[in-house]
């Protein structure tokens, strides 16, 4: 068991380890241009991206040569164009070299950062390099991992809370039982879900602030940073999620799952209906009435129980019949305990609303086609909650109900409840697989991306887990549930086996939720591979920006820009630049690409032929003298 738990933890750690590149937005151009020399200082600096971005956390900063900030006011979108973001500069700036940096958030919540240098008049070299200025505002990798874990905890809370409510309404209530121990255990599960959901939502907002501002978690846990995050799309979604969980906790304080009168009846025949033991004469154990002489499970009562007289006592039984009929008649006329509909509605509405959170705070509400991805994601969450939340209730709460009834009632109760859940879980798993498949096909895009990208590998793990879950569910439905219904005594080994399989399903569900948390942290494979593809690497003294367009099979125009890592100006000390591409996974040897000089520090490969879809390894070599050269490698995903 310890080894299995360790394996689960290792898998979860691998799943939530963040990818090296999470961004979708790509910087297209700047005003002024990178490395440009100006006669007078501009009034503002503008960054132009290929999609809408959000600026917060001191998003844009401009430094003079001494490292002093010279911007004024807040970042804004010129002409209300979301793909453009700008910052005003202080008036009266003199000659010098200025470094402009940005740290913005893509539409899907992923932060991106970089910068450039421009010169006014005869500027001196800046005291700090662009790398140093950006590095001073970079969050630790553990922060990204912590955000992925917070997402996973949030999805687990939604599954547990919403799933417990669905189980109660669909699988438990129709059985007609009233069990105080079961209801109390269910309320505890909902309480745990509410607390975990609220805390993880708050942590996600703070962690997003830490990532966006490039600070530690504790430095980002300030009211001003928290408020800035709430101004972003991600922050609004998760902030509202935290508020909704507060509503759930407030409603839980009213005990919405407790039937009116539950636990307050004074008549002895109420004891069984409340989980207090076996039912006396006239009680079915579910709050209703049974004819004298029947047991609470619908069978004949054993000797000594209500409805059965000892041998030789026929006359006494006949005399006692009118007296026994009175309690039975009273039980038959007593109204069945009912739930408070307003309280149930007050609990159900926020829980079902939380099914929107993964989409509103993630990829599927911004990635095209939104009209397909967002409904599929909501259905996926609902189906996941109905199945996984139900499994959690079966494992963690149902035993409280079966333990509170007589031994001969346990197997029928267990078989009935598990049978109803099996009927619910079948369609839920079908919806889970269909909705997940639709999202996977759109977001992964090609089969090779299942292995080539972190997002694809997370999807592959979810596929493997889903197949195991379907196999376990089919075994339960085809073998164990019918076996339980045939039993007349204790559940015995059948019940033990059922519980073990349910525990295994619960563990598999936790692994799937870990993969889901990772999926939310990674950029979808199609977003990573859809052209043009851009990346930045450091090669010796140069900062190299590479753009491959359209990043698809066939000819690709490849631009290589070299900038001085210290000044940000175009790097012109290159004696020779070499560029190669290879794909070891497909045994494709190095292909030499011929770059042509297109300007200062700018090289172009007009038609780089990349004829196979997948991750290509490009190697760039910059020779700066007869004896010194620098080399760096990077991955370029090519779509089919």
């Amino acid at each position: 068991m310890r080894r299995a738990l360790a394996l689960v933890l290792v898998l979860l750690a691998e799943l939530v380890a963040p990818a090296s590149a999470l961004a979708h937005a790509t910087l297209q151009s700047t005003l002024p241009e990178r490395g440009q020399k100006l006669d007078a200082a501009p009034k503002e600096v503008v960054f132009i991206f290929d999609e809408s971005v959000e600026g917060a956390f001191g998003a844009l900063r401009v430094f003079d040569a001494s490292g002093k900030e010279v911007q004024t006011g807040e970042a804004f979108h010129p002409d209300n164009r979301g793909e453009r973001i700008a910052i005003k500069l202080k008036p009266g700036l003199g000659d010098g070299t200025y470094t402009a940096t940005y740290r913005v958030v893509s539409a899907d919540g992923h932060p991106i950062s970089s910068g450039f240098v421009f010169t006014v008049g005869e500027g001196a070299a800046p005291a700090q390099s662009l790398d140093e200025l950006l590095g001073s505002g970079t969050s630790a990798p553990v922060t990204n991992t912590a955000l992925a874990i917070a997402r996973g905890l949030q999805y687990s809370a939604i599954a547990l809370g919403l799933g417990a409510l669905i189980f109660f309404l669909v699988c438990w209530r129709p059985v007609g039982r009233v069990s105080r121990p079961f209801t109390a255990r269910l309320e505890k599960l909902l309480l745990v879900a509410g607390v975990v959901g609220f805390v993880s939502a708050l942590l996600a907002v703070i962690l997003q602030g830490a990532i966006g501002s490039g600070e530690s978690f504790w430095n980002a846990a300030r009211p001003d940073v928290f408020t800035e995050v709430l101004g972003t799309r991600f922050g609004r979604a998760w902030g509202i999620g935290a508020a909704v969980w507060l509503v759930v906790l407030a409603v839980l304080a009213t005990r919405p799952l407790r039937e009116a009168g539950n636990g307050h009846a004074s008549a002895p025949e109420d004891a069984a209906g409340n989980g207090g033991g076996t039912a006396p004469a006239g009680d079915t154990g579910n709050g209703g009435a049974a004819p004298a002489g029947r047991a609470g499970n619908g069978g004949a009562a054993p000797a000594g129980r209500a409805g059965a007289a000892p041998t030789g006592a026929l006359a006494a039984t006949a005399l006692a019949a009118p007296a026994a009929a009175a309690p039975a008649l009273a039980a038959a006329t007593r109204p069945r305990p009912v739930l408070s509909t307003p309280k149930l509605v007050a609990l159900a509405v926020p829980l079902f609303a939380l099914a929107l959170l993964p989409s509103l705070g993630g990829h599927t509400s911004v990635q095209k086609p939104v009209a397909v991805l967002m409904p599929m994601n909501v259905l996926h969450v609902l189906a996941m909650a109905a199945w996984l939340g139900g499994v959690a209730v079966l494992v963690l709460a149902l035993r409280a109900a079966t333990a509170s009834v007589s031994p001969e009632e346990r197997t029928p109760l267990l078989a009935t409840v598990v049978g109803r859940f099996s009927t619910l879980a079948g369609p839920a798993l079908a919806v889970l697989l269909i909705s997940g498949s639709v999202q996977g096909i759109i977001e992964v895009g090609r089969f090779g991306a299942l292995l080539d990208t972190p997002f694809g590998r997370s999807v592959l793990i979810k596929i493997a887990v889903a197949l195991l879950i379907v196999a376990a569910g089919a075994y339960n439905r085809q073998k164990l549930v019918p076996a339980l219904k045939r039993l007349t005594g204790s559940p015995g080994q059948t019940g033990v086996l059922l519980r073990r399989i349910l525990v295994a399903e619960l563990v598999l569900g936790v692994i799937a939720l870990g993969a889901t948390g990772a999926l939310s942290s990674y950029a979808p494979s199609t977003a990573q591979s859809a052209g043009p593809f851009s990346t930045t690497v450091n090669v010796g003294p140069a900062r190299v920006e590479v753009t491959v367009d359209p990043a698809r099979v066939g000819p690709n125009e490849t631009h290589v820009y070299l900038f001085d890592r210290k000044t940000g100006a175009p790097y012109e000390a290159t004696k020779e630049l070499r560029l190669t591409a290879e794909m070891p996974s497909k045994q494709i040897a190095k292909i030499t690409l011929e770059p042509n000089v297109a300007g200062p520090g700018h090289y172009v490969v007009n038609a780089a032929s990349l004829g196979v879809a997948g991750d290509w390894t490009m190697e760039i070599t910059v020779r700066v003298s007869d004896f010194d050269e620098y080399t760096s490698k990077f991955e370029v995903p090519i779509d089919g």
Side-chain angles (χ1 to χ4, degrees):
M1 188 64 183
R2 291 182 179 178
R3 291 181 179 179
L5 180 58
L7 178 61
V8 170
L9 294 176
V10 169
L11 286 173
L12 289 176
E14 291 293 328
L15 286 173
V16 300
S20 58
L22 300 179
H24 290 188
T26 300
L27 182 67
Q28 298 291 305
S29 60
T30 64
L31 297 174
E33 295 180 2
R34 286 174 280 195
Q36 185 176 359
K37 283 191 174 183
L38 305 171
D39 294 330
K43 294 182 179 179
E44 63 185 22
V45 173
V46 183
F47 296 88
I48 304 171
F49 296 86
D50 61 346
E51 67 173 44
S52 293
V53 296
E54 294 178 317
F57 329 109
L60 307 186
R61 297 177 181 177
V62 183
F63 303 87
D64 63 15
S66 65
K68 180 181 178 181
E69 294 187 25
V70 296
Q71 79 278 358
T72 182
E74 300 293 332
F76 63 97
H77 293 287
D79 301 322
N80 291 320
R81 297 177 62 178
E83 72 277 8
R84 293 176 175 240
I85 188 167
I87 190 75
K88 296 287 186 181
L89 298 183
K90 293 178 179 179
L93 294 180
D95 291 356
T97 300
Y98 297 89
T99 304
T101 65
Y102 67 84
R103 181 177 295 277
V104 296
V105 180
S106 294
D108 62 359
H110 291 147
I112 52 176
S113 62
S114 189
F116 72 99
V117 173
F118 64 92
T119 303
V120 178
E122 296 298 327
Q128 288 181 288
S129 69
L130 177 61
D131 282 354
E132 290 171 331
L133 292 174
L134 288 173
S136 63
T138 302
S139 60
V142 69
T143 308
N144 296 290
T145 302
L147 179 57
I149 293 174
R151 289 178 186 266
L153 289 174
Q154 180 65 214
Y155 304 154
S156 300
I158 294 172
L160 181 59
L162 183 54
L165 178 64
I166 293 174
F167 185 95
F168 179 78
L169 296 176
V170 177
C171 302
W172 178 258
R173 282 289 294 171
V175 174
R177 284 273 176 179
V178 177
S179 173
R180 173 182 287 180
F182 174 76
T183 303
R185 189 67 60 87
L186 205 62
E187 289 173 341
K188 288 181 181 179
L189 293 180
L190 285 166
L191 180 62
V192 169
V195 172
V196 172
F198 175 71
V199 172
S200 61
L202 286 183
L203 288 176
V205 174
I206 297 174
L207 288 166
Q208 179 73 351
I211 293 171
S213 62
E215 298 178 309
S216 68
F217 173 86
W218 300 112
N219 288 336
R222 304 193 312 267
D224 58 327
V225 176
F226 190 85
T227 302
E228 284 191 86
V229 179
L230 292 180
T232 67
R233 178 182 164 275
F234 177 94
R236 285 190 295 272
W238 285 76
I240 292 173
V244 172
W245 279 116
L246 279 181
V247 173
V248 171
L249 290 171
V251 175
L252 285 175
T254 68
R255 301 292 179 88
L257 304 186
R258 296 290 179 98
E259 292 84 351
N262 185 18
H264 300 289
S266 58
E269 51 267 26
D270 278 339
N274 291 329
T278 58
D283 198 345
T284 61
N286 61 2
R294 298 190 64 189
N297 63 354
R305 295 188 66 196
T311 305
L314 294 178
T317 302
L319 291 174
L329 182 59
T333 57
R334 185 187 305 110
R336 176 182 174 180
V338 294
L339 292 171
S340 170
T341 300
K343 290 182 181 180
L344 269 183
V345 172
L347 179 63
V349 169
L351 282 175
F352 276 93
L354 284 165
L356 296 169
L357 177 58
S359 181
L360 294 176
H363 306 115
T364 56
S365 60
V366 294
Q367 185 180 357
K368 296 179 180 179
V370 175
V372 175
L373 284 174
M374 187 169 178
M376 286 295 104
N377 185 262
V378 174
L379 286 175
H380 195 71
V381 173
L382 291 172
M384 178 269 296
W387 164 74
L388 185 57
V391 171
V393 173
L394 288 175
V395 172
L396 302 173
L398 188 59
R399 177 176 287 186
T402 57
S404 63
V405 299
S406 59
E408 62 269 19
E409 292 181 288
R410 289 173 187 169
T411 298
L413 177 60
L414 182 62
T416 301
V417 175
V418 173
R420 293 192 66 86
F421 174 72
S422 179
T423 302
L424 170 67
L429 284 175
V431 173
L432 195 69
L433 293 175
I434 293 172
S435 58
S437 298
V438 171
Q439 292 179 84
I441 290 171
I442 294 175
E443 294 187 320
V444 175
R446 56 185 174 82
F447 182 79
L450 289 173
L451 297 175
D452 297 339
T453 64
F455 187 92
R457 289 190 288 270
S458 296
V459 170
L460 195 61
I461 291 175
K462 286 192 69 175
I463 292 173
V465 170
L467 292 176
L468 292 174
I469 289 170
V470 169
Y475 184 80
N476 286 342
R477 187 179 181 88
Q478 301 297 326
K479 299 292 185 180
L480 296 185
V481 174
L484 279 176
K485 291 181 178 179
R486 289 192 298 267
L487 290 175
T488 56
S490 170
Q493 289 301 314
T494 302
V496 172
L497 180 58
L498 173 64
R499 182 173 179 81
R500 288 177 178 174
I501 293 178
L502 288 173
V503 170
E505 284 191 57
L506 190 59
V507 172
L508 290 172
V510 171
I511 295 175
L513 288 172
T516 303
L519 284 174
S520 300
S521 298
Y522 299 140
S525 303
T526 50
Q528 289 180 342
S529 60
F533 171 80
S534 296
T535 190
T536 301
V537 295
N538 292 329
V539 185
R543 182 183 182 90
V544 180
E545 296 183 4
V546 182
T547 300
V548 180
D549 189 10
R552 294 182 180 274
V553 169
N556 284 266
E557 186 174 274
T558 304
H559 290 260
V560 179
Y561 298 88
L562 284 78
F563 301 94
D564 190 294
R565 292 179 62 186
K566 185 175 181 63
T567 68
Y571 186 78
E572 301 182 64
T574 304
K575 303 298 183 182
E576 180 187 11
L577 185 141
R578 299 192 299 273
L579 188 64
T580 63
E582 63 179 329
M583 186 183 286
S585 62
K586 299 290 178 65
Q587 297 182 340
I588 299 176
K590 284 185 178 181
I591 300 172
T592 299
L593 307 178
E594 298 294 340
N596 301 308
V597 178
H602 180 197
Y603 298 80
V604 177
V605 180
N606 291 318
S609 182
L610 304 175
V612 178
D615 278 353
W616 286 76
T617 299
M618 285 193 174
E619 180 178 279
I620 185 169
T621 300
V622 178
R623 184 171 66 84
V624 298
S625 70
D626 292 338
F627 304 101
D628 298 315
E629 65 179 29
Y630 305 92
T631 300
S632 183
K633 292 183 178 181
F634 54 92
E635 299 294 321
V636 177
I638 299 298
D639 197 8

